[in-house]
Amino acid sequence: MRKLSDMALLLVGVLYPFIVYFGMDRVSTPIFGLILGGLWLVRAPALWRQPGGRWMLGVTLVYCAVLAFGGEDDLLRWYPSLICALLFAAFGLSLRFGPPMIERIARVTEPDLPPVAVRYTRKVTWLWVVFFFLNGTVSALLAKWGPLSWWTFYNGILAYSVMGVLFVGEWILRQRLRRRINKAPMDDAAQRLHSHPWVADAAGGYAGKLGPGMVVALTPAGRTALLRHGRTGLINELGQQAAGDDALSTPMVWRFVDILPEAKQVDGLLQAPLPTAARVLGERLDGDTHVIELELPLDLACFADHFPDAPVLPGVVQIGWALAFAAPRLGTPTTCRGMDALKFQRLLRPGDRVELTLRYDAARGRLHFAYRTGDAHYSSAHLRLEGVDA
């Protein structure tokens, strides 16, 4: 019931100028007052427990009572000004007695606001105090001396358009502040990582809702550590180095790369999902065989689970890649119904570069694939393709 009344009161507030404009000739002022007063009364229990809610409820109910018991039609136009006055008072008093209104709202989702964010919420509260004062003043002037059409246009369209611009602008500034807050400790963490023998270079950034993150270019020793200890072991070791004496400087998101990207690309990389496919370095046609040069990303998604302490490319992924790479090049299906001569001879690990050879025997409906590097063979098989009769 409470949520329904809140939605109804919000909807009435948004549409109020148009309700008055189109309804004054059809609905009497007392009826307006009774309906509006009823909605505020339904919200009374919730407002009663909120700071400042009692006097806000009292003022609005007095206004509704005046409308209901003999109020003139012109009084209907003062409701937006009244709401702005109440919000102006609530936001202004919160600046005087604290905490600022925007800080209260922010702490609902982020209880531990850093000092720079607290200062920011105070500035935003001041912004809304100024807006409510100016908006309420213009609305009152139009209610007193302006035509009904001007009053309706301002309160029903223009005022909400300005509020929308303020909301969007503040959201953009807030995201920039959030990135700066999260990135500052990451810059210090990146400097600490530079001294680690596994790290060739590092850059901190912001991974959105996931929090602060770190992009690390590994040295040869770091690549060896990744093979021996897996992604989990690498993160545990580097996380301690990055945090130093400040646990809050521990990155929440990690990406491992060969070469560090440009600074403007760091956040995008941290926010992107882990790669699920090999990088194509080149390809060529050798007779009836397609040869594709591949590189396995250091932070390929499947390495996190297979296996956390000793990353290995799963055989099912190798087969899936062969089918996926063959489909657009050879026009073959992406599923198979059987396999012959399946062999796994060597392990494929993070950072490995291999050649994937693909040859299609259309007469028999079979796709042959092989992963190899020179004379070193990793895996191969003959796949009997789905939907192909042989």
Side-chain angles (χ1 to χ4, degrees), residues 368-385:
H368 176 266
F369 79 86
Y371 291 89
R372 69 185 187 190
T373 301
D375 294 331
H377 293 266
Y378 292 91
S379 63
S380 61
H382 294 278
L383 304 180
R384 300 195 301 273
L385 300 182

Side-chain angles (χ1 to χ4, degrees), residues 171-251:
W171 182 86
I172 293 173
L173 289 175
R174 191 188 334 139
Q175 299 311 307
R176 291 180 177 178
L177 177 67
R178 191 188 300 274
R179 284 194 294 269
R180 191 165 72 248
I181 291 173
N182 285 277
K183 191 175 182 301
M186 290 300 97
D187 290 339
D188 295 336
Q191 290 299 318
R192 288 190 286 270
L193 282 173
H194 285 155
S195 62
H196 198 284
W198 294 354
V199 177
D201 203 355
Y206 179 58
K209 294 182 179 180
L210 298 177
M214 187 70 62
V215 179
V216 178
L218 297 175
T219 62
R223 285 169 167 264
T224 301
L226 176 61
L227 299 181
R228 290 180 177 176
H229 307 295
R231 181 181 176 86
T232 301
L234 202 64
I235 290 176
N236 289 339
E237 169 69 20
L238 296 182
Q240 295 179 14
Q241 177 79 11
D245 297 328
D246 181 11
L248 295 178
S249 294
T250 303

Side-chain angles (χ1 to χ4, degrees), residues 25-249:
D25 296 334
R26 298 175 176 83
V27 180
S28 65
T29 298
I31 297 298
F32 270 111
L34 291 173
I35 295 174
L36 207 56
L39 291 174
W40 278 97
L41 281 174
V42 173
R43 283 203 64 197
L47 289 171
W48 200 259
R49 296 189 296 269
Q50 296 178 6
R54 296 183 181 183
W55 59 264
M56 183 178 293
L57 178 64
V59 172
T60 52
L61 288 180
V62 169
Y63 171 78
C64 293
V66 172
L67 292 177
F69 297 101
E72 299 180 358
D73 291 349
D74 288 347
L75 285 177
L76 290 172
R77 296 166 63 175
W78 288 90
Y79 182 69
S81 302
L82 174 65
I83 297 301
C84 280
L86 293 174
L87 292 173
F88 168 78
F91 278 64
L93 290 173
S94 74
L95 289 168
R96 174 66 176 84
F97 299 103
M101 188 66 70
I102 299 299
E103 179 183 340
R104 298 179 191 178
I105 297 173
R107 287 191 183 277
V108 173
T109 55
E110 298 183 52
D112 300 323
L113 289 178
V116 63
V118 172
R119 292 192 294 270
Y120 172 78
T121 58
R122 187 173 187 84
K123 293 178 181 178
V124 176
T125 303
W126 267 112
L127 173 66
W128 284 106
V129 167
V130 173
F131 169 78
F132 290 131
F133 174 79
L134 295 176
N135 187 56
T137 301
V138 174
S139 179
L141 292 173
L142 290 173
K144 180 65 176 177
W145 292 291
L148 180 61
S149 58
W150 289 17
W151 175 87
T152 303
F153 172 77
Y154 178 80
N155 289 285
I157 297 177
L158 189 57
Y160 288 115
S161 299
V162 174
M163 288 179 66
V165 171
L166 290 177
F167 274 119
V168 172
E170 188 277 327
W171 182 86
I172 293 173
L173 289 175
R174 191 188 334 139
Q175 299 311 307
R176 291 180 177 178
L177 177 67
R178 191 188 300 274
R179 284 194 294 269
R180 191 165 72 248
I181 291 173
N182 285 277
K183 191 175 182 301
M186 290 300 97
D187 290 339
D188 295 336
Q191 290 299 318
R192 288 190 286 270
L193 282 173
H194 285 155
S195 62
H196 198 284
W198 294 354
V199 177
D201 203 355
Y206 179 58
K209 294 182 179 180
L210 298 177
M214 187 70 62
V215 179
V216 178
L218 297 175
T219 62
R223 285 169 167 264
T224 301
L226 176 61
L227 299 181
R228 290 180 177 176
H229 307 295
R231 181 181 176 86
T232 301
L234 202 64
I235 290 176
N236 289 339
E237 169 69 20
L238 296 182
Q240 295 179 14
Q241 177 79 11
D245 297 328
D246 181 11
L248 295 178
S249 294

Side-chain angles (χ1 to χ4, degrees), residues 14-32:
V14 172
L15 299 178
Y16 185 83
F18 301 102
I19 294 174
V20 171
Y21 184 82
F22 293 105
M24 285 184 65
D25 296 334
R26 298 175 176 83
V27 180
S28 65
T29 298
I31 297 298
F32 270 111

